[in-house]
Amino acid sequence: MDITPNLLASLTGGKVEGDGDIKIIGFGKIEEAGPGYVTFIANPKYTHYLASTEASAVIVNEDFEYEGEIRPTLIRVKDAYSALAELLTAFEASKPQPSGIESPVFIAPGVEIPDGAYIGAFSYIGEGVKLGKGVKIYPQVYLGKGCEIGDGSTLRAGVKVYEGCRIGSRCILHSGVVVGADGFGFAPKGEIYEKIPQIGNVIIEDDVEIGANTCIDRATFGHTVIGRGTKLDNLVQIAHNVEIGENNVFAAQTGIAGSTKIGHSNRVGGQCGFAGHIHVGDENEFGAQSGIPNNVGNRNRLIGYPAIDARQFAKNQVYLRRLQDFFNKQNNKK
Amino acid sequence: MDITPNLLASLTGGKVEGDGDIKIIGFGKIEEAGPGYVTFIANPKYTHYLASTEASAVIVNEDFEYEGEIRPTLIRVKDAYSALAELLTAFEASKPQPSGIESPVFIAPGVEIPDGAYIGAFSYIGEGVKLGKGVKIYPQVYLGKGCEIGDGSTLRAGVKVYEGCRIGSRCILHSGVVVGADGFGFAPKGEIYEKIPQIGNVIIEDDVEIGANTCIDRATFGHTVIGRGTKLDNLVQIAHNVEIGENNVFAAQTGIAGSTKIGHSNRVGGQCGFAGHIHVGDENEFGAQSGIPNNVGNRNRLIGYPAIDARQFAKNQVYLRRLQDFFNKQNNKK
Amino acid sequence: MDITPNLLASLTGGKVEGDGDIKIIGFGKIEEAGPGYVTFIANPKYTHYLASTEASAVIVNEDFEYEGEIRPTLIRVKDAYSALAELLTAFEASKPQPSGIESPVFIAPGVEIPDGAYIGAFSYIGEGVKLGKGVKIYPQVYLGKGCEIGDGSTLRAGVKVYEGCRIGSRCILHSGVVVGADGFGFAPKGEIYEKIPQIGNVIIEDDVEIGANTCIDRATFGHTVIGRGTKLDNLVQIAHNVEIGENNVFAAQTGIAGSTKIGHSNRVGGQCGFAGHIHVGDENEFGAQSGIPNNVGNRNRLIGYPAIDARQFAKNQVYLRRLQDFFNKQNNKK
C-alpha cells in the first residue's frame, strides 16, 4: 500500500489541503526534506521555510496561518508534533523486529524465555531472572540474579542490571546503562573509609526510558525508584535511595544525590545537580546547569548556582553587567 | 543460628536494652523497617522516628538520649554507622559468592586462573594478564594484555581495562568502568590535531572502589595513580597523569584535568571540576559543582565557580540577593 | 637496530648536541625519566628540570636557551611537542597489532571481513555491516544493522554503534562509547510524554577520536554529524541533530543540546554546556564549566555561567571580591 497524504491524514485525524494522492517516501526536517518527503511545522519560527521547502507534504497545526502561496500538500491536525510522533511510531512498528535466541548466550538453568522474546548473542541471563512477554534483550546485556524485566521492554546492547533489580513494562534502556551498582556509602573509621554494603535494589516502573551510559544506584536498604513515564537522558547519575515520581524529564548529565525525593511532572535541564536528602515537589522547571541545594515546592521556574527564581536570575545578570559602571561611579564620588 | 539483638550486640561490642532474644529477619531504614527488622539512628535528625518505627531493634550510639517510652530493643554501640557497616559486611559475606569459570570465556594461552577465582561468561583475559587469589571477574569484562589484578578484587560486569594497567587488592570496579583509555593529548599541527600516543598506564592501589561508568585515562608517560583507599563515585573523569593520594572521596560526575596532583583525605562533592596541572593538598572539602582553577593548600572548605572559602561564598550569596535593593538606593540618590 | 639520539634526530629533522650514539630505551617525563630515557621540554616552565634530570637525551625547540651546564644530549627540533608526537607514533606503529578473527564472534551472514582486519572475541557484527580495510574491532563491540566503519578505524573493547550509523576512516572510538542511541525526543500528550521515534543516524567523519563512555545520539531525521578531525574527550554528550564541524577539541564531560551547530577549530574546556538550537562559529575558546545559552560568533574567548568575555569574567570576579567592602562603605554613609 502506498503512503499518501490522504493515508497520513486518516491515521492522524487530519484534513488534507492540496494533492492527497502523491506518494510519500520518507520523513525529513523542513529545511532538508526533498521531493517525496513529508515534513512538519510545530514551532512558528520554522514557518518561513514553507516558501523554500522541497517536501511534498507538510503536517501543520489546524490553526496554522500563512500568507502567500503554498506549494506542498498541507495536512492539518490538532497537534502537529504529536501527530508526527504517532506517524513515526507506526513507521517504526512496521519495521521487522529482532526475535529468537542468538548464539552463544548464557542463560542460567530454569530461566524461561517467553515467546516473542529476543535474546541477542553474548547476553547473560542470571539465575532466577524473570522476563516478560516480547522483551528485546540486545547483545552483550547482563542481567544479574533474580532481576525482573516487564512485558515489552527493550534493553539495548550492553545494558548491565545488577542482581535483584526490577524493570517495568514497555521500558527502553539504552546502551551502557547501569542499573543497581552499589550506592556510594562509606563510614569513616579513623583515616580510612569502610564500605557500607548496599543491600537494597532499584525499581524502574512502567514506560520509563533511560539514556545511554546513565547510572542508577541500588539503595542501601529498600529501593531506589524511577516512577512511571519518567524519561532520563544520557549520562545521568541517580544515587542510592533516590525516589523519583511520574512523568518527569531529566536532560543529559544531570545528577541527583542520595535519598532525594522528587515529585511528578518536573522538567530538568542538562547538567543540573540536586543535593542529597532534599524534597522537590511537582511541575517545576530547572534551567540547565542549576545547582539545587535545598527543598523546592511546586510549579517554580528556577535556574542558577545555587538555583533561584528564573526572573531574579535574569535580573542579577543585568546587575552584574552594571557592576563595573557602578564601581566607577563610587570611585568618582570619593 | 537465629539472628537476635544479643547476637548483633556481641558482633559489634554493644549493649542490649530490652528483649535481646527476638528474631531479626532483615535490615531497614527507620522510616520503613517493619516488625522483625533491625534499623539504626546515626544522625540525630532521625531520632523522632523512634516513636513511630515498627522495627524490632534499633542500633544507636552509646550516648544516645531519648525522652519518652522506647518500644523496640536498643543496641548501644560506640558508633552506630560503623557498627551497621560491620553487620552488613558480615551479612554480605555470608551470601554465596560466584566462583569457577563460566563458558564461553576467552583466556589467552598461558594465563593462570588462581583457585577461588570467578571468571564470568564472555569475559576476555588477554595475554600475560596476572590475576590475584579470589578475584571475581564478572561477565563481559575485558582485560587487555599484561594487566594485573590484585588479590580479592571484584570487577563487575562489563568493566574494561586497557593493556598494561595495574589494579591492587580488594578493589571494586563497577560496571562500565574504563581504566586506561588514551589520555586526551593532541599536538596542533597547522589546522589539524595530531595524536600524541599515550604510552603510560594506570595504577590503582589497594582498597579503591570505582563507581559505574567512571573513566581513568592512561598516562602519556609514566602513571595515572589512584591512591590506596580512595573512593570514586559514578561517571567521574580522571585525565592522564593525574595522581590522587590516599583515602579521598569523590562524588559523582566530578572531573580532574590532566597532570593534577591531589593529596589525601579530601572530600569532593558531585560535579566538581579541577583544572589541569594544579596541586591540591590534604583534608580539604569541596562543595558540589565547584570549579577549582588553582592550587589549594590543606584543610580548606571551598565552594563556587571559581571555588572560594565556603563562608565567603555564603556571604556573597547574601550580597547578590541585596544587589537589587542596592541599585535602587543608588538610583534614588541621583 | 639501536635507538640513539642520532636516529631520533634523523627521524625528526633535528640536530644533536652532545653524544649522539648512546642507546635510548624509552620515553619519560623530565621529572621522572631515568638513565637511558629520552624526554622533552616544550613548555619553558619545565626548563629548570634540565639541571636535575637523569634522562640521557632531551628534545627541545631549536631556539631553546639555557644558562648553565647541560649534561644530557640535546636534540634540537623545530617544534619539540610535535616531534615527540611523531616519535611516539613511530614507536606505537612498531608494536605488533592485533589481527585475525578471534572466537567466538557473531558475524551476520554476508558480512565481509577485509584482509588485515581484527575482530575480537564476543563482538557482534550485524546484518549488512561494511568494514573498511585494516579495521580493528576489539572484543565485545556491537555494530548494529547496516553500520559502516571506514578504513583503518579502531573501535576499542565494548563500543556500541546502533543501526545505520557511519564512521569514517582512521577514527578511534574508546571503550564504552555509544553511537546512535535514540535522541531525547518526547511529545507531551496530556500528563504523559509520548516517544518520538528517532529515525535519523550519526555520521562521524574521518580522523575523529572519541573518548571513553561518550554518547552521540542519532538524529530525529537526517544526521547528527561530527566533522573531520574533531576530538571528543571522555563522558561527552552530543544530542540529536547536533552538527559539529572540523578540527574542534571538546574536553571531558561537556554536553551539547539538540540541533546546535558548531563551526570549526573551537577549543572547549571540560564540563561546558551548550544550549540547544544555537549556532557557534569558528576558532572560539570556552573556559571549563561554561554555560553557553545563545549564538556565538568567531574567535571569542568566553567563560562563565552564562558565558561572557573572559576578560570581563576576570573583572567581575574582582568586583565580587570587593562587594563586601562596598556594602560596608554604603552602610557607613547612611
Side-chain angles (χ1 to χ4, degrees):
Chain A
M1 188 173 67
D2 280 353
I3 298 172
T4 62
N6 284 335
L7 177 64
L8 298 179
S10 74
L11 288 169
T12 57
K15 285 183 188 169
V16 171
E17 288 177 20
D19 185 349
D21 292 320
I22 37 177
K23 194 174 165 183
I24 298 297
I25 58 172
F27 294 86
K29 289 190 287 184
I30 193 160
E31 63 270 41
E32 293 177 353
Y37 278 71
V38 58
T39 186
F40 74 108
I41 299 174
N43 182 333
K45 88 177 189 186
Y46 286 84
T47 300
H48 71 275
Y49 282 110
L50 195 53
S52 57
T53 186
E54 295 182 19
S56 295
V58 185
I59 299 168
V60 298
N61 291 329
E62 54 191 2
D63 59 358
F64 177 77
E65 291 184 10
Y66 186 78
E67 298 189 1
E69 202 187 348
I70 299 176
R71 194 197 45 71
T73 301
L74 291 192
I75 304 169
R76 291 185 181 273
V77 297
K78 204 166 170 186
D79 177 340
Y81 203 52
S82 183
L84 177 80
E86 282 173 43
L87 291 175
L88 289 172
T89 302
F91 174 79
E92 281 292 283
S94 72
K95 286 186 183 172
Q97 295 295 312
S99 68
I101 304 178
E102 292 175 348
S103 180
V105 293
F106 181 102
I107 300 178
V111 172
E112 288 181 29
I113 307 297
D115 288 348
Y118 167 55
I119 312 288
F122 314 121
S123 277
Y124 184 102
I125 318 287
E127 266 178 56
V129 168
K130 288 183 185 161
L131 300 175
K133 289 175 201 159
V135 295
K136 307 289 177 208
I137 308 294
Y138 276 73
Q140 300 146 339
V141 166
Y142 170 82
L143 300 179
K145 273 187 193 178
C147 290
E148 299 182 19
I149 314 291
D151 294 350
S153 283
T154 298
L155 278 63
R156 298 299 308 243
V159 166
K160 311 298 180 203
V161 186
Y162 281 49
E163 53 278 6
C165 294
R166 301 198 326 240
I167 293 170
S169 297
R170 298 173 305 279
C171 291
I172 300 172
L173 276 62
H174 285 284
S175 288
V177 165
V178 179
V179 173
D182 288 349
F184 197 62
F186 300 93
K189 190 172 184 175
E191 295 193 341
I192 69 158
Y193 288 93
E194 194 171 26
K195 181 177 177 66
I196 299 178
Q198 306 287 306
I199 66 170
N201 74 347
V202 175
I203 295 177
I204 293 173
E205 298 181 357
D206 298 342
D207 300 304
V208 169
E209 182 160 345
I210 305 180
N213 284 344
T214 280
C215 301
I216 304 174
D217 280 354
R218 69 194 309 110
T220 309
F221 312 115
H223 317 291
T224 304
V225 180
I226 310 294
R228 189 153 54 131
T230 283
K231 315 296 183 186
L232 307 179
D233 200 349
N234 300 342
L235 293 164
V236 168
Q237 153 71 357
I238 309 291
H240 50 178
N241 289 96
V242 166
E243 296 179 17
I244 298 180
E246 302 190 357
N247 300 316
N248 298 281
V249 287
F250 289 83
Q253 297 177 316
T254 281
I256 307 181
S259 298
T260 281
K261 289 179 175 43
I262 293 185
H264 65 76
S265 305
N266 293 284
R267 294 195 289 164
V268 181
Q271 299 182 334
C272 287
F274 290 81
H277 297 271
I278 65 172
H279 286 73
V280 173
D282 307 324
E283 300 180 33
N284 296 290
E285 206 176 318
F286 298 91
Q289 296 190 321
S290 293
I292 298 94
N294 298 314
N295 292 347
V296 174
N298 303 318
R299 283 178 290 284
N300 297 284
R301 218 157 64 76
L302 301 174
I303 189 169
Y305 168 61
I308 56 174
D309 179 84
R311 284 154 304 188
Q312 189 60 49
F313 182 83
K315 282 186 195 169
N316 286 359
Q317 296 309 309
V318 174
Y319 297 142
L320 285 169
R321 282 196 287 273
R322 285 167 55 192
L323 213 52
Q324 181 163 23
D325 295 347
F326 201 57
F327 271 86
N328 291 341
K329 278 185 197 168
Q330 166 129 347
N331 285 334
N332 292 340
K333 281 183 197 166
K334 277 180 193 168
Chain B
M1 187 174 67
D2 281 351
I3 297 172
T4 61
N6 283 336
L7 177 63
L8 299 179
S10 74
L11 288 169
T12 56
K15 286 184 187 168
V16 172
E17 288 177 20
D19 185 347
D21 292 320
I22 37 176
K23 194 174 163 184
I24 297 298
I25 59 172
F27 294 87
K29 288 190 289 185
I30 191 160
E31 63 270 42
E32 292 176 354
Y37 278 71
V38 59
T39 186
F40 73 108
I41 298 174
N43 182 335
K45 87 177 188 186
Y46 286 85
T47 300
H48 71 277
Y49 282 111
L50 194 54
S52 58
T53 187
E54 296 182 19
S56 295
V58 185
I59 299 168
V60 297
N61 291 329
E62 55 191 1
D63 59 357
F64 177 78
E65 292 186 8
Y66 186 78
E67 297 190 0
E69 201 186 350
I70 298 177
R71 192 196 45 72
T73 301
L74 291 193
I75 305 168
R76 292 185 180 274
V77 297
K78 202 166 173 188
D79 177 340
Y81 203 51
S82 183
L84 177 80
E86 280 173 45
L87 291 176
L88 289 173
T89 302
F91 174 78
E92 281 292 282
S94 71
K95 286 185 183 174
Q97 295 295 311
S99 68
I101 303 178
E102 293 176 349
S103 180
V105 293
F106 181 102
I107 300 178
V111 172
E112 288 181 30
I113 307 297
D115 288 348
Y118 167 55
I119 312 288
F122 315 121
S123 276
Y124 184 102
I125 317 288
E127 267 178 54
V129 168
K130 288 183 186 160
L131 299 175
K133 288 175 202 159
V135 294
K136 308 289 179 208
I137 308 292
Y138 276 73
Q140 301 146 340
V141 166
Y142 170 82
L143 301 179
K145 273 188 194 177
C147 290
E148 298 181 19
I149 314 290
D151 294 350
S153 283
T154 298
L155 278 62
R156 298 299 308 241
V159 167
K160 312 298 179 204
V161 186
Y162 282 48
E163 54 278 7
C165 295
R166 302 202 320 245
I167 294 170
S169 296
R170 297 173 305 279
C171 291
I172 300 173
L173 275 62
H174 285 284
S175 288
V177 164
V178 178
V179 173
D182 287 349
F184 197 62
F186 300 93
K189 190 172 183 177
E191 294 193 342
I192 68 158
Y193 287 93
E194 194 172 24
K195 181 177 178 67
I196 298 177
Q198 306 287 305
I199 67 172
N201 74 346
V202 175
I203 296 176
I204 293 173
E205 298 181 356
D206 298 341
D207 299 305
V208 169
E209 181 159 347
I210 304 180
N213 285 344
T214 281
C215 302
I216 304 174
D217 280 353
R218 69 196 306 110
T220 309
F221 311 117
H223 318 291
T224 304
V225 181
I226 311 293
R228 189 151 55 129
T230 284
K231 315 296 184 186
L232 307 179
D233 199 350
N234 300 341
L235 294 163
V236 168
Q237 153 69 0
I238 308 292
H240 50 180
N241 289 97
V242 166
E243 297 179 17
I244 298 179
E246 302 189 358
N247 299 317
N248 297 280
V249 287
F250 289 83
Q253 297 176 317
T254 282
I256 307 181
S259 299
T260 280
K261 290 180 175 41
I262 294 185
H264 66 76
S265 305
N266 293 284
R267 293 194 291 164
V268 180
Q271 301 182 334
C272 287
F274 291 80
H277 297 271
I278 64 172
H279 286 71
V280 173
D282 307 326
E283 299 180 34
N284 297 289
E285 205 177 319
F286 297 91
Q289 297 191 320
S290 293
I292 299 93
N294 299 313
N295 292 347
V296 174
N298 302 319
R299 283 178 291 283
N300 297 283
R301 218 157 62 77
L302 301 174
I303 189 168
Y305 169 63
I308 56 175
D309 180 83
R311 284 154 304 187
Q312 189 60 50
F313 182 83
K315 282 185 194 169
N316 285 359
Q317 297 309 310
V318 174
Y319 297 143
L320 286 169
R321 283 196 287 272
R322 284 167 55 193
L323 212 52
Q324 182 162 21
D325 295 347
F326 201 58
F327 270 86
N328 292 340
K329 279 185 197 167
Q330 167 127 350
N331 285 333
N332 292 340
K333 282 182 196 167
K334 278 179 193 169
Chain C
M1 188 172 67
D2 280 352
I3 298 172
T4 62
N6 283 335
L7 177 63
L8 298 179
S10 75
L11 288 169
T12 56
K15 285 183 188 168
V16 172
E17 287 178 21
D19 185 348
D21 292 320
I22 36 177
K23 194 174 164 185
I24 298 298
I25 59 172
F27 295 86
K29 288 190 287 184
I30 192 160
E31 62 270 43
E32 294 178 352
Y37 279 71
V38 59
T39 186
F40 74 108
I41 298 174
N43 183 335
K45 86 177 190 187
Y46 287 85
T47 300
H48 71 277
Y49 283 110
L50 195 54
S52 57
T53 187
E54 296 182 20
S56 295
V58 184
I59 299 168
V60 297
N61 291 329
E62 55 191 1
D63 59 357
F64 177 78
E65 291 185 10
Y66 186 79
E67 296 189 3
E69 202 188 347
I70 298 176
R71 193 196 46 71
T73 301
L74 290 192
I75 305 169
R76 292 186 181 272
V77 298
K78 204 167 171 185
D79 177 340
Y81 203 52
S82 183
L84 177 79
E86 281 173 44
L87 290 175
L88 288 173
T89 301
F91 173 78
E92 281 292 281
S94 71
K95 288 187 184 172
Q97 296 295 311
S99 68
I101 304 178
E102 292 176 348
S103 182
V105 293
F106 181 102
I107 299 178
V111 172
E112 287 180 30
I113 307 298
D115 288 348
Y118 166 56
I119 313 287
F122 314 121
S123 276
Y124 184 101
I125 318 287
E127 267 178 54
V129 168
K130 287 183 187 160
L131 300 175
K133 288 176 203 160
V135 294
K136 308 289 179 208
I137 308 293
Y138 276 72
Q140 300 147 339
V141 166
Y142 170 81
L143 300 179
K145 273 188 194 176
C147 289
E148 298 181 20
I149 313 292
D151 294 350
S153 283
T154 298
L155 278 63
R156 298 300 307 243
V159 167
K160 312 299 180 202
V161 186
Y162 282 49
E163 53 279 7
C165 294
R166 301 199 325 242
I167 294 170
S169 296
R170 297 173 305 279
C171 291
I172 300 171
L173 276 63
H174 285 284
S175 287
V177 164
V178 178
V179 173
D182 288 349
F184 197 61
F186 300 93
K189 190 173 183 176
E191 294 193 342
I192 69 158
Y193 287 92
E194 194 171 26
K195 181 177 177 66
I196 299 178
Q198 306 286 306
I199 66 171
N201 74 347
V202 175
I203 296 176
I204 294 173
E205 298 180 357
D206 298 342
D207 299 305
V208 169
E209 182 159 346
I210 304 180
N213 284 344
T214 281
C215 302
I216 304 175
D217 281 354
R218 68 195 308 110
T220 309
F221 312 116
H223 317 291
T224 304
V225 180
I226 310 295
R228 190 152 55 130
T230 284
K231 315 295 184 188
L232 307 179
D233 200 349
N234 301 341
L235 293 164
V236 168
Q237 152 70 359
I238 308 291
H240 49 179
N241 289 96
V242 166
E243 296 178 18
I244 299 179
E246 302 188 358
N247 299 317
N248 298 280
V249 287
F250 290 82
Q253 297 177 316
T254 281
I256 306 181
S259 299
T260 280
K261 289 179 176 41
I262 293 185
H264 66 75
S265 305
N266 294 283
R267 293 196 288 164
V268 181
Q271 300 183 333
C272 287
F274 290 81
H277 298 271
I278 65 172
H279 286 73
V280 173
D282 307 325
E283 300 180 32
N284 297 289
E285 206 176 318
F286 297 91
Q289 296 191 320
S290 292
I292 298 94
N294 299 312
N295 292 347
V296 174
N298 303 318
R299 283 177 290 283
N300 297 283
R301 219 157 62 78
L302 301 174
I303 188 167
Y305 169 62
I308 56 176
D309 179 83
R311 284 152 304 186
Q312 189 60 50
F313 181 84
K315 281 185 193 167
N316 285 359
Q317 297 309 310
V318 174
Y319 297 142
L320 286 169
R321 284 196 286 272
R322 284 168 54 193
L323 214 52
Q324 183 163 21
D325 295 347
F326 200 59
F327 271 86
N328 292 342
K329 278 185 196 169
Q330 168 129 348
N331 285 333
N332 293 341
K333 282 182 195 165
K334 278 180 193 167

